[in-house]
Amino acid sequence: MLVEILTGLALYSRVVGNPVLTQFIGWLPQLIDAQYLREIHYFLMFVFFAFVIFHVYASVLVSLEEENGLLDSIFSGWKFVPAGELRREVATIPEARSFARRQPVAAARHAG
């Protein structure tokens, strides 16, 4: 990302001609030709776009395949867990089992 920012500022300083910006980033076009700066900048832009597209695709795919509600909870704030999975989870936690024995109606209402 730093290379993307530096190349973008270097290209912008050449277009605008701001002396302050040229003072800070003017050394970069002296090291690398402006055309190569532009190619590096656009290549990294497409890499970032491809990363975002792949990341969203992979997140949706994993959410659909695992059906655990993780991606849904990011948007809704609620994670819906199937009742059978909740009962298995409660069975493995000793504190939860004792709570379910004390209040069976509340536990059954939340599980279903």
Side-chain angles (χ1 to χ4, degrees):
M1 289 188 94
L2 182 63
V3 173
E4 180 76 11
I5 292 169
L6 288 176
T7 56
L9 286 175
L11 292 170
Y12 184 70
S13 72
R14 289 184 60 102
V15 171
V16 174
N18 187 345
V20 176
L21 190 57
T22 305
Q23 176 80 20
F24 288 113
I25 201 73
W27 55 270
L28 192 58
Q30 292 174 356
L31 293 176
I32 303 172
D33 188 39
Q35 184 62 33
Y36 290 124
L37 283 175
R38 184 176 175 187
E39 288 179 16
I40 292 168
H41 186 74
Y42 282 114
F43 175 74
L44 289 176
M45 178 192 65
F46 288 120
V47 168
F48 287 136
F49 283 153
F51 174 77
V52 168
I53 289 170
F54 174 76
H55 190 80
V56 170
Y57 169 74
S59 299
V60 170
L61 181 66
V62 167
S63 178
L64 291 174
E65 289 295 320
E66 290 185 358
E67 295 179 354
N68 63 1
L70 182 64
L71 189 64
D72 302 334
S73 68
I74 292 172
F75 295 105
S76 68
W78 294 93
K79 185 172 181 181
F80 299 101
V81 180
E85 186 177 327
L86 185 62
R87 285 188 202 102
R88 283 192 306 271
E89 191 70 29
V90 168
T92 61
I93 303 171
E95 296 86 13
R97 281 185 283 173
S98 64
F99 179 76
R101 273 186 257 138
R102 282 183 275 153
Q103 298 182 4
V105 176
R109 191 176 323 142
H110 290 295

